Amino acid sequence: MDVIDKWSGRHAVALQAAMRSTNEEFARDLGVAVRTVAAWHADPAIVPRREIQRALDTALERVTPAEQRRFGALYRRAAEVETQALRVAIAVVVRGTEVLLVCRRGEDSLTWQFPAGVVKPGGSASAVAVQETLAETAVHCSVREALGSRVHPVTGVLAEYQLCDFLAGEARNQDAVENLDVAWVPIDTLTKFIPTDRIYPPVLAALEGTHE
């Protein structure tokens, strides 16, 4: 049986395919959110958190010999294919002098970020920004303008930034698997949560304009 030292999204998707599971079935087997499985499909380089690594170990131990053979073949094939650039919509949601942030759970750390979601091929970044903000934080918003895009300096994904206006809703953490917390942060304290060199300059400029 193949042994995986550290699971990535690519390994996880190969196991899912070997088991012939839907996203919903695979998420249920592992005890994770469906959006987590979808994120592995979108970004095979993702490294799941330690508890999810253990769940994947257990799932692999339970597969049949035929599923194990499929898993090995699928992973080797997937590793040979060059993955396409991942598009992510990032929602910069403003309410008066505050901006909405989520606290992401990482492998060994927590990071504050703007709400974000994967944009499927042919999809709309503005629509994803609105939908993911609601899904993650229970906040309704509307896109005011697109602020541009860049290859993110940390994740390497193509990030498309959307400046959004708050419409309604009380911010709360709707994805406890991926996020630890949700908060409205004063714009003038944003760089205490996210280092200045990680914030897209047009985002800072737009927030300074809303804060004046």
Side-chain angles (χ1 to χ4, degrees), residues 67-80:
E67 290 170 336
Q68 169 61 216
R69 289 192 295 273
R70 281 200 297 272
F71 169 68
L74 286 166
Y75 172 67
R76 286 188 291 274
R77 187 184 312 159
E80 295 172 355

Side-chain angles (χ1 to χ4, degrees), residues 3 42 74 100 126 160:
V3 175
L74 286 166
L100 184 64
S126 59
E160 301 187 18

Side-chain angles (χ1 to χ4, degrees), residues 88-148:
V88 172
I90 298 181
V92 182
V93 186
V94 174
R95 183 183 69 175
T97 59
E98 299 174 312
V99 64
L100 184 64
L101 298 182
V102 296
C103 185
R104 303 272 191 220
R105 300 177 187 271
E107 174 70 14
D108 298 304
S109 63
L110 300 172
T111 57
W112 286 94
Q113 304 174 17
F114 301 109
V118 174
V119 182
K120 295 180 180 179
S124 164
S126 59
V128 170
V130 170
Q131 293 162 4
E132 289 300 312
T133 297
L134 180 61
E136 289 191 81
T137 71
V139 166
H140 293 270
C141 67
S142 63
V143 174
R144 183 192 308 179
E145 64 176 307
L147 296 176

